[in-house]
């Protein structure tokens, strides 16, 4: 797997690169935000091999790490793991809302970091693609239909009345989870552990933010019902008219 390591401290980068290479990663090192953005852009001769994961240190010399995350997100769908010394809940939520897929606080355990890298890559499908299955070969399961909403799990596409609605990775994961069992109440902790794979405090707020943005992006405020004190459930709308 190719991994982009964004880290301005050469000592930290060298040590981490050595560990990652030992575990089979091809590491590309960027020392600042500009190099990171350049690394994900296609070359003049065509597409580079995509990265499976970006490890992004938030303390960079040239640009704010959060800004770099937002820009990476607009350029590529490669999952981003933020690495930072800031452990406060607000920083984590800010990072997740900018589209980071996970958040690791320094000092971290290398084993845990590797586990998170693999988990994020697996979820995004990068690992499977590396193993030989072409992306197009994903199972062509019929989309889940929820009234006017169609959720295609294999392509991660969502449409309302046939019109595609772009969602962030986590918004899609949340909708896909609820949509697989319409009418069933999912507990908050259950959703957080399924979608964010963590139980850190503060994700509760992040969950609310994602529910609100799904309701508004799909223009269907009643699609996801809040079950007070418990969690959420998806309510399939009755056909119009
Ligand atoms: Ca740094």
């Amino acid at each position: 797997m190719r991994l982009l390591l964004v880290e301005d401290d050469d000592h930290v980068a060298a040590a981490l690169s050595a560990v990652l290479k030992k575990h089979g990663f091809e590491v590309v090192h960027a020392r600042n935000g500009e190099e990171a953005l350049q690394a994900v852009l296609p070359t003049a001769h065509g597409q580079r091999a995509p990265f499976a994961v970006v490890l992004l240190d938030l303390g960079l010399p040239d640009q704010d790490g959060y800004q770099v995350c937002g820009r990476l997100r607009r350029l590529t769908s490669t999952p981003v793991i933020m690495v930072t010394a800031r452990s406060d809940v607000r920083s984590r939520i800010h990072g997740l809302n900018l589209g980071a897929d996970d958040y690791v606080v320094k000092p971290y355990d290398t084993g845990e970091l590797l586990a998170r890298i693999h988990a994020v890559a697996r979820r995004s499908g990068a690992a499977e693609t590396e193993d030989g299955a072409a992306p197009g070969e994903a199972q062509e399961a019929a989309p889940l239909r929820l009234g006017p909403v169609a959720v295609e799990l294999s392509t991660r596409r969502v449409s309302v009345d046939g019109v595609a609605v772009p969602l962030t990775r986590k918004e899609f994961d949340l909708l896909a989870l609820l949509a697989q069992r319409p009418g069933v109440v999912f507990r908050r902790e259950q959703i957080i552990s399924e979608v964010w794979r963590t139980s850190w405090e503060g994700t509760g707020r992040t969950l609310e933010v994602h529910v609100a943005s799904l309701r508004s992006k799909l223009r269907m405020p009643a699609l996801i019902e809040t079950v007070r004190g418990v969690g959420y459930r998806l309510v399939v709308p009755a056909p119009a008219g």
Side-chain angles (χ1 to χ4, degrees):
M1 271 196 279
R2 287 184 94 220
L3 181 146
L4 176 61
L5 172 63
V6 190
E7 169 64 69
D8 60 309
D9 185 323
D10 282 341
H11 294 291
V12 172
L16 192 50
S17 291
V19 173
L20 291 166
K21 283 175 186 164
K22 222 170 80 186
H23 285 83
F25 289 94
E26 183 194 336
V27 180
V28 174
H29 178 206
R31 286 178 182 77
N32 53 50
E34 195 48 46
E35 282 185 19
L37 296 167
Q38 286 301 324
V40 301
L41 287 174
T43 61
H45 309 292
Q47 210 71 31
R48 292 176 210 245
F51 292 105
V53 176
V54 179
L55 266 188
L56 174 64
D57 177 33
L58 285 185
L60 294 172
D62 61 335
Q63 295 179 38
D64 175 64
Y66 290 110
Q67 271 180 30
V68 175
C69 179
R71 289 194 185 133
L72 283 171
R73 197 27 83 240
R74 286 192 286 278
L75 290 170
T76 168
S77 61
T78 299
V80 176
I81 300 178
M82 287 183 165
V83 181
T84 175
R86 286 176 254 178
S87 68
D88 62 291
V89 167
R90 282 175 62 91
S91 303
R92 291 180 186 192
I93 293 174
H94 188 45
L96 294 170
N97 284 341
L98 279 169
D101 292 82
D102 208 343
Y103 200 105
V104 176
V105 178
K106 289 177 181 173
Y108 48 78
D109 174 78
T110 315
E112 188 199 351
L113 179 67
L114 284 165
R116 288 186 182 230
I117 292 170
H118 281 296
V120 161
R122 194 165 54 239
R123 267 180 273 155
S124 79
E128 285 87 320
T129 309
E130 286 259 317
D131 291 344
E137 281 172 7
Q139 319 85 311
E140 296 286 332
L144 300 170
R145 296 245 168 235
L146 315 149
V149 183
V151 180
E152 278 182 63
L153 297 177
S154 57
T155 57
R156 301 179 62 87
R157 273 196 283 249
V158 173
S159 60
V160 179
D161 288 324
V163 179
V165 180
L167 298 180
T168 67
R169 188 189 301 277
K170 292 299 177 197
E171 285 165 359
F172 179 88
D173 289 345
L174 170 59
L175 178 64
L177 176 68
L178 298 176
Q180 287 181 50
R181 293 165 78 195
V184 172
V185 179
F186 286 79
R187 286 176 298 107
R188 296 167 60 84
E189 311 82 70
Q190 191 182 353
I191 300 172
I192 289 166
S193 93
E194 290 272 334
V195 175
W196 282 271
R197 312 272 161 145
T198 173
S199 54
W200 67 46
E201 71 175 304
T203 309
R205 261 285 294 158
T206 308
L207 172 57
E208 283 160 32
V209 170
H210 281 73
V211 168
S213 96
L214 268 180
R215 284 171 177 156
S216 95
K217 280 189 179 178
L218 300 171
R219 297 173 190 266
M220 297 175 77
L223 182 70
I224 299 172
E225 185 184 81
T226 306
V227 182
R228 261 207 132 115
V230 185
Y232 297 94
R233 79 167 141 219
L234 193 134
V235 180
V236 179

